[in-house]
Amino acid sequence: MNAKALRKLSYGVYIVSSWDKGRPVGCVANSVMQVASQPAVIAVSVNHENYTNECIKACGRFAVSVLSEQSEPSIIGVFGFKSSRDNDKFDEVPRLLKCNMPVVRDSAAYLVCEVVDKVETQTHTVFFGKVLDADLLNEETPMTYAYYHEVVKGKSPKKAPTYLPEADDEEAKWVCSVCGYAYSGDVPFGELPEDYRCPVCGQLKAVFQLKTK
Amino acid sequence: MNAKALRKLSYGVYIVSSWDKGRPVGCVANSVMQVASQPAVIAVSVNHENYTNECIKACGRFAVSVLSEQSEPSIIGVFGFKSSRDNDKFDEVPRLLKCNMPVVRDSAAYLVCEVVDKVETQTHTVFFGKVLDADLLNEETPMTYAYYHEVVKGKSPKKAPTYLPEADDEEAKWVCSVCGYAYSGDVPFGELPEDYRCPVCGQLKAVFQLKTK
């Protein structure tokens, strides 16, 4: 089996959010899809190790924020490379309240769902959510997973179902040791100011490492 | 609820195929995603009314062919706007045999899966398939659902979970009455030869109708 074939499936980039006893929590997801039309039901896959997983189970509801090509890459850094167990992620990312659920303000659209079914796999829970509320927040183009990899140059969090440890880099690159973002700007890395921060996870220049193939 | 928000989820375009007592069958799907990593499991949503649905249940296996931007739009016409109940779709579309399953030859990649779980919604069955075999067939860019709508100018089959009856057209257009394809070529529609065929479903010019908003 050639695992690269699995990378040919197309996805968007989403923040799946819920409540942890009154505290808003969330994580990055790419595996989100509509599975039924009347009523509208979506399915979302969340790793067992994501703290948001147990919060959705306890709360019975979740929201999906659809990131756009204009959404700040740091949103993915905050929600994809830290845990809600130890971090109040929504303190760093502005939110809205829709149907009583926390939603990322800087996104193209949102869906609020009630859990109606779930399936456990070895690594992930697939939540089936009946859509209670949904709306557009702007006219921006939704960010695809391909756009995130090719344009934002971002990496997959290790908890993503689509994570592939053997992902190959073409040449020597300065890579953020926290989130895996590979610097590809026009200014040589060494000439960047010391307060340069990783555009994905917000870490300082000092955490970058030179990686060769 | 604004149903347009659901259209902001990102998808690819796939042919889901199986066997009907030795006869290859299949249909178009966009709702396909990886839901677990070790072992790799994908989920696929197929309408109850799709003949392929009952064939997958009887066979216990299915394949997913990942269409590319270079795949012939007529593949979507054959698999999306006709029924395998009455049509041998693979007679019109060249196939390969992978792990004993029929796969569309003109696609970027394929996955062969064994059904390990399923969830019934009001309108669709969500099949969970453990990936038995997968490989790339070429280096072409996978076709996204957005590309199909914006570049190929194709419409959604009525059985798709993402089908929206209120989809709006901007102006008067010649539209294929079989598959809903809206002509947008540079040559005025009236000047096209009589043997012009719909690029999506292959029907002749005569079945086109002028639709105004």
Side-chain angles (χ1 to χ4, degrees), chain A residues 1-14 30-47 64 66 108-111 117-126 128 131-136 138-144 159-163 165, chain B residues 1-14 30-47 64 66 108-111 117-126 128 131-136 138-144 159-163 165:
Chain A
M1 182 174 91
N2 181 354
K4 285 185 179 172
L6 282 159
R7 289 200 219 168
K8 298 296 176 183
L9 305 182
S10 297
Y11 302 94
V13 183
Y14 311 99
N30 52 67
S31 291
V32 176
M33 67 181 187
Q34 187 174 356
V35 296
S37 46
Q38 289 163 334
V41 176
I42 65 169
V44 180
S45 179
V46 182
N47 197 298
V64 173
V66 180
Y110 71 87
L111 311 166
D117 208 342
K118 63 179 198 295
V119 171
E120 298 294 351
T121 72
Q122 291 282 97
T123 53
H124 291 67
T125 304
V126 183
F128 286 69
V131 181
L132 304 175
D133 184 29
D135 207 354
L136 305 178
N138 56 48
E139 292 298 318
E140 293 169 6
T141 302
M143 184 188 287
T144 62
K159 294 173 188 168
T162 48
Y163 174 73
Chain B
M1 182 174 94
N2 182 354
K4 285 184 179 172
L6 282 160
R7 290 200 218 167
K8 298 295 177 184
L9 304 182
S10 297
Y11 302 95
V13 183
Y14 311 99
N30 51 69
S31 291
V32 175
M33 66 182 188
Q34 187 174 355
V35 296
S37 46
Q38 288 163 334
V41 176
I42 65 168
V44 179
S45 179
V46 181
N47 197 299
V64 173
V66 181
Y110 72 87
L111 311 165
D117 207 341
K118 65 180 197 291
V119 171
E120 298 294 349
T121 73
Q122 291 282 96
T123 53
H124 292 66
T125 304
V126 182
F128 286 69
V131 182
L132 304 176
D133 184 29
D135 207 352
L136 306 177
N138 56 49
E139 291 300 316
E140 293 170 4
T141 302
M143 183 188 287
T144 63
K159 294 174 189 166
T162 48
Y163 173 73

Side-chain angles (χ1 to χ4, degrees), chain B residues 67-78:
Chain B
L67 297 190
S68 84
E69 292 181 359
Q70 278 70 51
S71 296
E72 279 294 325
S74 63
I75 296 173
I76 300 171
V78 170

Side-chain angles (χ1 to χ4, degrees), chain B residues 8 14 24 56 85 97 126 136 155-156 165 177 185 210 213:
Chain B
K8 298 295 177 184
Y14 311 99
I56 294 173
R85 201 181 301 273
L97 208 61
V126 182
L136 306 177
K155 293 292 170 91
S156 305
S177 61
L210 187 64
K213 197 175 176 182

Side-chain angles (χ1 to χ4, degrees), chain B residues 43-117:
Chain B
V44 179
S45 179
V46 181
N47 197 299
H48 292 150
E49 292 175 18
N50 274 111
Y51 188 64
T52 304
N53 187 316
E54 55 196 90
C55 296
I56 294 173
K57 284 174 183 161
C59 174
R61 288 192 179 194
F62 64 90
V64 173
S65 302
V66 181
L67 297 190
S68 84
E69 292 181 359
Q70 278 70 51
S71 296
E72 279 294 325
S74 63
I75 296 173
I76 300 171
V78 170
F79 280 95
F81 296 94
K82 297 178 180 180
S83 174
S84 283
R85 201 181 301 273
D86 322 306
N87 294 274
D88 285 330
K89 297 178 179 179
F90 276 104
D91 283 358
E92 300 177 56
V93 174
R95 68 176 159 107
L96 304 171
L97 208 61
K98 295 289 182 183
C99 232
N100 246 341
M101 296 299 289
V103 161
V104 173
R105 189 192 65 189
D106 183 20
S107 49
Y110 72 87
L111 311 165
V112 172
C113 303
E114 179 184 6
V115 177
V116 290
D117 207 341

